[in-house]
Amino acid sequence: LRTSTGGTGYIGKYVVKEAVNRGYETTVVVRPESKPREDFFQGAKVVIADVCDEDNLKSVIPGPVDAVISCLASRSGVKEDSYKIDYQATLNSLNAAKAAGASNFVLLSAYCVRKPLLQFQNAKLKVNESELFHSSARKPNQPFMKHFF
């Protein structure tokens, strides 16, 4: 079972569609105000949750899951939004993944790892440096979270 947060975004909708096409049982978490396109979510279970509310997010991610794929991204470029979505909502997704028994958490993003210049890049880097990123239920020194650029 795969679960995706940020599934209505530009990359997220393709991640969900590809997971379904590959035969994975897929759940996509969407915002309450979202209007998901059926052509991208056909075959996936759509659940509504506020990713900024960790308890709400945990309540809709069905356990056990193999992986949670986070495609979350802030859009405004404002520091407050960057830390609300790119940092806190991503950590909420990571915590919900662990609570649902996920063995993998995939964070998709496009940030500069050498010299982050934008607020969202700094917020994603902060997640990458968090203790949760480095925890693992599988092998010592093997990160729980995988980060793809």
Side-chain angles (χ1 to χ4, degrees):
L1 178 64
R2 306 292 190 268
T3 299
S4 175
T5 56
T8 58
Y10 181 76
I11 300 292
K13 62 187 172 219
Y14 291 102
V15 168
V16 172
K17 189 174 185 176
E18 186 62 23
V20 170
N21 287 342
R22 290 183 180 217
Y24 294 110
E25 185 180 342
T26 305
T27 299
V28 58
V29 179
V30 301
R31 296 179 308 266
E33 66 274 8
S34 288
K35 295 181 176 119
R37 290 177 45 184
E38 283 188 32
D39 57 329
F40 282 100
F41 299 138
Q42 189 172 15
K45 178 181 178 184
V46 178
V47 296
I48 297 169
D50 179 358
V51 293
C52 296
D53 180 340
E54 186 176 317
D55 291 332
N56 182 228
L57 190 56
K58 284 179 178 178
S59 74
V60 299
I61 294 182
V65 298
D66 300 314
V68 171
I69 304 166
S70 175
C71 304
L72 295 170
S74 60
R75 302 224 183 244
S76 71
V78 177
K79 183 176 183 176
E80 180 181 326
D81 289 343
S82 294
Y83 279 85
K84 181 180 179 182
I85 301 300
D86 298 302
Y87 175 69
Q88 191 58 58
T90 301
L91 279 183
N92 292 349
S93 298
L94 182 56
N95 286 330
K98 287 192 127 191
S103 56
N104 290 288
F105 181 85
V106 179
L107 173 58
L108 287 154
S109 72
Y111 79 83
C112 175
V113 293
R114 292 192 181 148
K115 294 181 182 177
L117 302 173
L118 303 173
Q119 291 301 326
F120 85 91
Q121 295 169 334
N122 286 304
K124 297 250 182 181
L125 185 59
K126 188 174 178 182
V127 171
N128 198 45
E129 294 169 344
S130 75
E131 183 179 322
L132 281 173
F133 174 83
H134 298 284
S135 66
S136 174
R138 293 173 290 160
K139 297 177 186 174
N141 301 320
Q142 181 183 16
F144 169 69
M145 184 168 95
K146 294 172 175 50
H147 202 142
F148 296 91
F149 310 101

